[in-house]
Amino acid sequence: MKHRDAMLAALVMGLAVTCAHAQDADPARLQLEVAAGVQVQATLQDDGRIAVVLTPSGKRQVLPGVTDADGNARLSAEDVDFDGRPELVARAAVGMVNEAVAVYRYVPARQELVALAPIPNDRAQCGDLMGLTVEEDNRTLSSSCRSGPMWYVDQYRYDGGRLYLYRAERLLMLDDVLEPYVFVKQTADSGPLAVWTTFDSDGNVLETAIGDGLEAPRAGSPLLRVSGHVRVARLPLYSQPGDATTKRYLVRDDRVELLDERDGWVQVRYDNPTRGAVLGWVNTQP
């Protein structure tokens, strides 16, 4: 399923859950056990903040929370850090399709709830934890948001107690400039091309691949690369973006996989029958 459709489905489900809670429980109040013997009573205030009382300590906190345009939100208990204990989660609709999310984890050393914040990474498209989906089977958090006509997905994982950006996308406007050199077959359901990038916990790039910008890769699996065929008789293959000369060429009908893009230069991989994998850069703006 395209992740734009998945996010719309999730939003509809979320609205249904909110309605159900309104019928059989107070959606503005929640009690949960955040650690052995530690209970939290959370109450949504009129200003959107969350009043919290921890027992047996009796400690009180007021958390920022999130709200929609009418000051409403819904509270839930979700195991967001995969430790077997729930976190306090607040969700609220933002605009027509986006959902703001705030997560609060119990920190035993401080005996209080602390906001969950990913390590800053300017590659994240959504910025905050938006439309949060907890993928327990691969221990991944997916944050999704819509900007203009496009859905974006940021995937996060834990390194110890640190939440880091594991995978993100960067949309490309390559279709027209790439087509004269490499033909990539598109269908009616295909989205714009995007560079998907996988990071380690220190923010280093582990892999990149150009793929469908509307098809989020499965977390934990290698990135899938779109492929195309060379359309010109001889296509120069450069070692680095910006190189002026090269002795390497691709020829018409060579099949290449698309890996990355930098300022109009596209990195490709060609499987040479005798030499194996050959990597290089194609200049789409000569």
Side-chain angles (χ1 to χ4, degrees), residues 109-123:
R110 297 170 57 172
Q111 296 187 19
E112 64 180 10
L113 296 180
V114 176
L116 175 64
I119 300 170
N121 190 318
D122 58 10
R123 301 283 194 94

Side-chain angles (χ1 to χ4, degrees), residues 105-232:
R105 305 167 72 189
Y106 179 69
V107 178
R110 297 170 57 172
Q111 296 187 19
E112 64 180 10
L113 296 180
V114 176
L116 175 64
I119 300 170
N121 190 318
D122 58 10
R123 301 283 194 94
Q125 295 291 332
C126 297
D128 299 321
L129 298 178
M130 303 285 291
L132 185 66
T133 301
V134 180
E135 302 176 18
E136 185 176 356
D137 60 339
N138 50 46
R139 302 177 70 86
T140 302
L141 305 181
S142 289
S143 175
S144 61
C145 60
R146 182 174 176 175
S147 177
M150 282 297 303
W151 279 104
Y152 297 90
V153 170
D154 301 318
Q155 295 178 337
Y156 293 90
R157 284 187 163 179
Y158 288 95
D159 176 40
R162 305 188 311 154
L163 185 64
Y164 70 94
L165 183 65
Y166 158 68
R167 187 168 280 170
E169 65 178 309
R170 174 172 57 89
L171 285 180
L172 303 175
M173 299 300 174
L174 277 180
D175 301 65
D176 293 337
V177 297
L178 182 63
E179 187 175 2
Y181 308 101
V182 177
F183 173 73
V184 177
K185 185 177 181 180
Q186 299 277 68
T187 69
D189 293 329
S190 298
L193 296 178
V195 176
W196 291 92
T197 304
T198 303
F199 305 93
D200 66 14
S201 58
D202 293 322
N204 300 310
V205 175
L206 297 178
E207 61 173 340
T208 62
I210 295 179
D212 190 332
L214 295 180
E215 190 71 43
R218 176 173 173 76
S221 299
L223 293 172
L224 298 178
R225 311 155 179 166
V226 298
S227 61
H229 291 84
V230 174
R231 304 187 73 169
V232 295

